[in-house]
């Protein structure tokens, strides 16, 4: 079968790579893809726009593509799944109504409250002054969240009331009109990605991302600087609890609202010191970089999981099979990220990194005149697997050392929270 993957990040490269390991998948096409999908055997990359739903649908029908996988949240929130489903195309990823779980933090919070899902206490405001007054009354630390997709730039964890007031003013100036003001939660942050077919949820192995740019979890938030899986912070009991207290009631409430949610339901959680999992947010797609650590450990062919979700057969599916050991992904970024950075620097050492025992997933890369060059903030992710977490970490760092480009930056402490 032929599969189309929409998106251009490390996540999409990892999905395409995993799909190509399946004996049933003969070819993967990527729109718009990146330098990694362009160079991968069996994969074809097409420079189309991801908001050209009509063009994509036509392409799928002409090419005889059996399955479309949507990587990023933006096309999902714009209704790409609805459009393709209407043309009888099999698509993995929720419809526009379901994608609201990520695209509107106010909507998601209301859903969580209705579902009885443990989450930070919060109030929603459409008036910035009322939001500020509420912050003054609650005190700090407190968390300010703008409603709407903000590419990771809509949340401020404020240490003081003044900081929270400034954040509300800033976000308001940027055009955000709805604010969720929520209680600050303590504990370890983890990501639990689950498959949903609209009736049943099945969690994948739990992962931990590293959101901040600096070592020791300091500095600005990023799209994610590294991840590992499975994380021991979520043991079997905790995962069972997340399924029972978070994933199942959320899906049941989506169903109650008439939303047929088929895709990834990703819960970003804090595990409180007493073991209570609480939801920070939901995403409607695979996490990046978590996917780059989770999928290499997956043994069940990936297209089987996607098709089971689309065809509502998740309940009948045998247990998902995983390799033993751990996987660690370290992200290499451009100097300046998550602020401004330059593009177009030649990248060397990818082959050496691969030969040394890692998988290199490309994100912001492209091929320019036969040369791989940087083309984004997060440039690539180096994933290594090992029988132990320590082996995987050592291998990931040994391999990323092979890679060079001007201004390369990566955190040296991925996984520090469990060492
Ligand atoms: N209630 C909270 N308490 C403590 N930290 C939070 C809270 N909500 C969010 N954060 C921190 O802010 C980050 C971004 O928030 P999140 O809700 O995941 O929004 P987004 O990913 O859309 O930017 C989280 O990864 C987490 O580290
Ligand atoms: Mg998040």
């Amino acid at each position: 079968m032929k599969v189309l993957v929409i998106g251009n990040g490390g996540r999409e490269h990892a999905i395409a790579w995993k799909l190509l390991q399946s004996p049933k998948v003969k070819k993967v096409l990527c729109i718009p893809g990146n330098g990694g999908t362009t160079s991968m055997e069996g994969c074809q990359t097409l420079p189309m726009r991801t908001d050209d739903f009509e063009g994509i649908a036509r392409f799928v029908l002409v090419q005889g593509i059996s399955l479309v996988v949507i990587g990023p949240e933006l096309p999902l929130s714009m209704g790409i799944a609805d459009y393709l489903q209407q043309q009888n195309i099999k698509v993995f990823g929720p419809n526009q109504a379901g994608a609201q779980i990520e695209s509107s933090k106010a909507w998601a919070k209301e859903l969580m409250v209705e579902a009885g899902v443990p989450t930070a206490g919060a109030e929603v405001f459409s008036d910035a002054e009322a939001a500020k007054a509420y912050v003054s009354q609650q005190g700090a630390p407190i968390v300010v969240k703008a409603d709407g997709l903000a590419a990771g730039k809509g949340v401020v964890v404020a240490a003081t009331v003044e900081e929270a007031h400034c954040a509300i003013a800033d976000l308001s100036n940027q055009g955000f009109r709805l604010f969720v003001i929520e209680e600050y939660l303590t504990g370890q942050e983890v990501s639990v990605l689950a498959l949903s077919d609209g009736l049943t949820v099945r969690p994948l192995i739990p992962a931990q991302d590293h959101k901040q740019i600096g070592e020791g979890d300091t500095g600005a938030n990023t799209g994610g600087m590294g991840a590992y899986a499975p994380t021991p912070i979520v043991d079997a009991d905790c995962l069972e609890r997340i399924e029972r207290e978070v994933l199942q009631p959320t899906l049941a409430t989506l169903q109650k609202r008439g939303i047929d949610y088929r895709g990834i339901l990703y819960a970003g959680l804090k595990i409180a010191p007493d073991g209570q999992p609480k939801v920070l947010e939901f995403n409607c797609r695979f996490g990046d970089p978590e996917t780059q650590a989770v999928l290499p450990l997956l043994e069940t062919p990936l297209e089987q999981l996607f098709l089971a979700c689309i065809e509502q057969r998740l309940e009948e599916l045998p247990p998902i099979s995983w390799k033993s050991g751990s996987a660690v992904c370290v992200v290499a970024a451009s100097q300046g990220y998550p602020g401004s950075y330059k593009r177009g620097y030649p990248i060397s050492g990818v082959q050496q990194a691969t030969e040394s025992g890692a998988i290199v997933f490309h994100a912001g890369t492209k091929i320019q005149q036969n040369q791989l060059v940087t083309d984004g903030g997060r440039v690539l992710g180096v994933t290594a697997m090992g029988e132990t977490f320590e082996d995987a970490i050592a291998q990931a760092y040994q391999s990323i050392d092979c890679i060079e480009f001007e201004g390369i930056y990566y955190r040296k402490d991925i996984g520090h929270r469990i060492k």
Side-chain angles (χ1 to χ4, degrees):
M1 69 191 278
K2 283 190 198 172
V3 185
L4 172 63
V5 178
I6 303 287
N8 65 353
R11 163 183 55 208
E12 287 78 17
H13 188 187
I15 292 170
W17 171 85
K18 190 74 218 178
L19 282 167
L20 279 169
Q21 290 182 353
S22 165
K24 292 224 170 97
V25 176
K26 296 289 174 249
K27 191 170 182 185
V28 172
L29 300 108
C30 270
I31 293 177
N34 57 36
T37 62
T38 306
S39 341
M40 191 165 49
E41 208 182 324
C43 188
Q44 191 186 342
T45 302
L46 293 118
M48 277 173 78
R49 293 176 56 106
T50 57
D51 59 2
D52 178 9
F53 299 169
E54 206 186 314
I56 290 171
R58 211 175 317 119
F59 179 75
V60 167
L61 298 171
V62 169
Q63 291 280 326
I65 287 165
S66 318
L67 165 65
V68 183
V69 183
I70 315 296
E73 61 278 17
L74 189 61
L76 289 167
S77 73
M78 289 168 61
I80 192 169
D82 310 61
Y83 187 89
L84 297 178
Q85 274 158 14
Q86 278 157 22
Q87 323 285 318
N88 291 320
I89 293 166
K90 287 188 176 173
V91 47
F92 181 80
N95 54 24
Q96 191 169 26
Q100 287 178 97
I101 205 157
E102 174 164 4
S103 67
S104 169
K105 292 203 185 287
W107 190 89
K109 186 61 82 175
E110 201 198 302
L111 184 97
M112 283 187 252
V113 171
E114 186 184 333
V117 165
T119 181
E123 291 286 336
V124 178
F125 297 91
S126 56
D127 176 50
E129 292 314 311
K132 285 184 193 169
Y134 177 74
V135 165
S136 302
Q137 181 204 324
Q138 293 292 307
I142 195 153
V143 183
V144 176
K145 299 189 173 186
D147 188 75
L149 291 180
K153 298 202 160 58
V155 171
V156 175
V157 179
T160 63
V161 167
E162 292 67 39
E163 206 185 318
H165 282 181
C166 287
I168 295 167
D170 266 5
L171 292 165
S172 180
N173 286 338
Q174 286 170 45
F176 290 105
R177 289 289 164 261
L178 210 54
F179 307 93
V180 179
I181 310 294
E182 76 179 37
E183 170 199 2
Y184 174 79
L185 298 177
T186 55
Q188 288 260 23
E189 189 167 342
V190 297
S191 305
V192 174
L193 281 66
L195 296 163
S196 166
D197 67 358
L199 304 171
T200 305
V201 271
R202 285 265 192 117
L204 306 178
I205 50 172
Q208 186 168 47
D209 185 10
H210 297 66
K211 301 272 177 210
Q212 284 167 288
I213 189 74
E215 278 148 26
D217 299 321
T218 54
N221 263 343
T222 70
M225 294 304 294
Y228 66 90
T231 175
I233 295 161
V234 178
D235 60 16
D237 283 350
C238 183
L239 189 61
E240 198 268 327
R241 194 167 170 186
I242 292 167
E243 244 188 292
R244 187 162 32 84
E245 294 180 12
V246 173
L247 299 171
Q248 285 165 1
T250 300
L251 183 62
T253 307
L254 286 165
Q255 273 176 274
K256 212 168 102 191
R257 294 188 177 193
I259 295 172
D260 186 3
Y261 194 101
R262 303 187 199 187
I264 292 287
L265 181 61
Y266 160 156
L269 305 133
K270 279 235 179 166
I271 311 296
D274 68 358
Q276 170 70 55
K278 286 193 179 179
V279 177
L280 293 173
E281 67 159 349
F282 282 112
N283 291 318
C284 65
R285 36 78 194 175
F286 279 102
D288 197 353
E290 294 94 322
T291 305
Q292 299 178 55
V294 169
L295 289 188
L297 293 171
L298 177 69
E299 280 189 332
T300 306
L302 185 56
E303 91 287 354
Q304 284 185 18
L305 301 183
F306 291 155
L307 289 171
C309 289
I310 294 167
E311 295 163 3
Q312 286 195 319
R313 294 184 283 99
L314 210 46
E315 198 171 7
E316 302 153 28
L317 199 76
I320 300 171
S321 150
W322 299 97
K323 290 187 173 67
S324 63
S326 296
V328 175
C329 171
V330 181
V331 171
S334 297
Q335 189 180 358
Y337 175 78
S340 61
Y341 53 83
K342 291 192 181 137
R343 300 168 192 250
Y345 295 119
I347 303 169
S348 65
V350 170
Q351 195 180 338
Q352 289 88 322
T354 309
E355 283 164 5
S356 74
I359 314 159
V360 178
F361 292 122
H362 295 228
T365 75
K366 69 173 178 185
I367 293 170
Q368 193 172 285
Q369 290 155 357
N370 281 324
Q371 167 70 50
L372 186 70
V373 298
T374 64
D375 192 37
R378 290 189 295 168
V379 175
L380 45 82
V382 174
T383 297
M385 287 182 274
E387 256 325 302
T388 64
F389 174 74
E390 287 70 26
D391 292 346
I393 273 282
Q395 182 63 61
Y397 279 109
Q398 190 196 321
S399 297
I400 204 170
D401 269 348
C402 302
I403 292 183
E404 284 176 36
F405 55 84
E406 192 167 323
I408 185 171
Y409 169 78
Y410 53 87
R411 278 180 60 168
K412 311 283 186 300
D413 67 341
I414 298 306
H416 73 100
R417 287 184 177 274
I418 62 162
K419 275 187 204 161

